[in-house]
C-alpha cells in the first residue's frame, strides 16, 4: 500500500494518464478468455493484488507480493493523498446516487479534498463521449471508475488518450458501495484470515457462478507450479 501511494503521488505530477487495476483471481481467469481484457491488464501501469488469492499465488510461485492491497482501502488512501496534493477527484459509476453519496462522505472525512464531480452513467459506448466531455470539463486529476470488471478497466483504457486532465484512473469495483455504506465489508477477523471473498459470497450469493473462477484459479496455479505451464498463457 505504501509503495502504491508513493507511485500514485509521483504520477500526479506526470503528463499522461496512468491506469491502475485492482485485480483478483476472477480478473486473471477472465483474462484467459477475454483477449481485450488481457491486453488492458497487460498495458495497465499497475495491477494490484486486491484478491487474497493473488497474494497466495505469488507466494506459491516464489515471487511474493509484500501484502494484499485492497481496493476498498486504497480508495480512502488515494482520496487523502488527493486532499494533501490539491488533486481533484471524480467518482464515476455505481447505482444512481451512490457516487454522490460516497463523494460527500470522502469530503467530510478529508475536508481539503476537492470532489470535481460524481456521476453514475454507464459503460455503454453510446454514453462514452458525453462522459469523457463531463470529466474533462471537471478537470479532475484522479478518476475512480466503478462499473465492475472488466467494463471499468476497458472503459479507462479506451479513453486514456481522450481524458485530458486525468493523471490516474482506477477501476474500483464495488468500492463506492462500501464507502456509501450500501455494502458492508467482512469483519476484520475474516479479512485477516483471507476470507473476505467468502463474506462477499454470503452477502451477494448471485456471485457464485463468477466465483467458480476461484477453484479454477487454484488449479491453474498448482498446475503451473508443477511445470504444466502450457495450459494457461500467463
Ligand atoms: N456498475 C455500474 N454499471 C454497470 C455495471 C456495474 O455502475 O453497468 C456498478 C455497480 O453498481 C457496482 C460496481 O459497478 O457499484 C461493480 O461492483 P462489483 O463489486 O460487482 O465489482 P466487480 O466485482 O465486478 O469488480
Amino acid at each position: 500500500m505504501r509503495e502504491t501511494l508513493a507511485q500514485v503521488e509521483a504520477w500526479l505530477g506526470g503528463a499522461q494518464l496512468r491506469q491502475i487495476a485492482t485485480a483478483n483471481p476472477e480478473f486473471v481467469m477472465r483474462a484467459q478468455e477475454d483477449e481485450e481484457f488481457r491486453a488492458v491488464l497487460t498495458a495497465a501501469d499497475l495491477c494490484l493484488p486486491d484478491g487474497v488469492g493473488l497474494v497466495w499465488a505469488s507466494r506459491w510461485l516464489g515471487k511474493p507480493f509484500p501484502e494484499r492491497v485492497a481496493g476498498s482501502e486504497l480508495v480512502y488512501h488515494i482520496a487523502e493523498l488527493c486532499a494533501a496534493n490539491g488533486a481533484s477527484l471524480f467518482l464515476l459509476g455505481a447505482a444512481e446516487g451512490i457516487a454522490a453519496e460516497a463523494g460527500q462522505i470522502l469530503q467530510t472525512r478529508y475536508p481539503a479534498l476537492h470532489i470535481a464531480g460524481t456521476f453514475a452513467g454507464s459503460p455503454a459506448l453510446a454514453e462514452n463521449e458525453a462522459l469523457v466531455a463531463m470529466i474533462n470539463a471537471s478537470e479532475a486529476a484522479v478518476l475512480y471508475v466503478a462499473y465492475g470488471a472488466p467494463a471499468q478497466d476497458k472503459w479507462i483504457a479506451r479513453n486514456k488518450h481522450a481524458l485530458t486532465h486525468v493523471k490516474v484512473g482506477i477501476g474500483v469495483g464495488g468500492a463506492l458501495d462500501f464507502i456509501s455504506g450500501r455494502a458492508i465489508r467482512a469483519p476484520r477477523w475474516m479479512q485477516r484470515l483471507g476470507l473476505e471473498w467468502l463474506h462477499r459470497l454470503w452477502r451477494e450469493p448471485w456471485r457464485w457462478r463468477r466465483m467458480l473462477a476461484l477453484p479454477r484459479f487454484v488449479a491453474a496455479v498448482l498446475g503451473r507450479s508443477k511445470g504444466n505451464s502450457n495450459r494457461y498463457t500467463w
Side-chain angles (χ1 to χ4, degrees):
M1 182 63 85
R2 192 171 39 78
E3 283 180 56
T4 302
L5 294 172
Q7 184 63 85
V8 169
E9 191 167 20
W11 284 342
L12 287 177
Q16 81 221 67
L17 186 152
R18 301 294 195 151
Q19 179 166 6
I20 302 178
T22 51
N24 61 33
E26 283 174 41
F27 278 54
V28 175
M29 298 319 288
R30 175 74 186 238
Q32 307 305 305
E33 288 127 35
D34 182 336
E35 225 169 283
E36 184 192 349
F37 189 38
R38 185 160 71 237
V40 166
L41 294 181
T42 305
D45 295 283
L46 189 57
C47 284
L48 294 168
D50 184 1
V52 70
L54 293 187
V55 178
W56 166 77
S58 73
R59 290 188 186 142
W60 182 262
L61 297 171
K63 287 186 189 168
F65 288 124
E67 63 180 4
R68 176 181 174 220
V69 182
S72 43
E73 281 156 34
L74 184 69
V75 288
Y76 286 103
H77 290 303
I78 291 184
E80 190 175 15
L81 196 68
C82 285
N85 286 271
S88 58
L89 178 62
F90 196 107
L91 310 182
L92 178 68
E96 207 56 53
I98 299 282
E101 237 176 271
Q104 270 168 12
I105 289 167
L106 290 174
Q107 171 79 81
T108 308
R109 194 153 166 171
Y110 311 110
L113 177 66
H114 175 52
I115 298 287
T118 62
F119 196 71
S122 102
L125 275 178
E127 284 196 36
N128 201 84
E129 211 176 309
L131 293 183
V132 168
M134 182 189 301
I135 295 162
N136 284 344
S138 82
E139 300 189 5
V142 176
L143 173 66
Y144 292 171
V145 184
Y147 286 144
Q152 60 194 17
D153 308 285
K154 289 178 180 176
W155 194 94
I156 297 170
R158 179 165 83 227
N159 292 303
K160 73 176 170 197
H161 298 296
L163 292 164
T164 47
H165 291 77
V166 178
K167 306 285 191 235
V168 181
I170 314 169
V172 298
L176 303 186
D177 299 311
F178 289 124
I179 295 173
S180 74
R182 296 300 165 97
I184 297 166
R185 281 193 75 191
R188 283 253 170 239
W189 67 266
M190 277 188 111
Q191 290 180 33
R192 269 200 301 272
L193 289 176
L195 293 175
E196 194 155 17
W197 59 274
L198 186 62
H199 182 265
R200 199 108 201 252
L201 184 59
W202 170 57
R203 302 283 307 193
E204 301 167 37
W206 53 266
R207 285 181 180 272
W208 73 269
R209 193 179 286 280
R210 286 174 41 179
M211 281 196 170
L212 288 179
L214 285 173
R216 287 173 50 231
F217 174 78
V218 172
V221 172
L222 295 177
R224 185 182 164 109
S225 66
K226 285 189 192 114
N228 176 19
S229 57
N230 297 337
R231 202 157 157 227
Y232 294 100
T233 51
W234 52 288

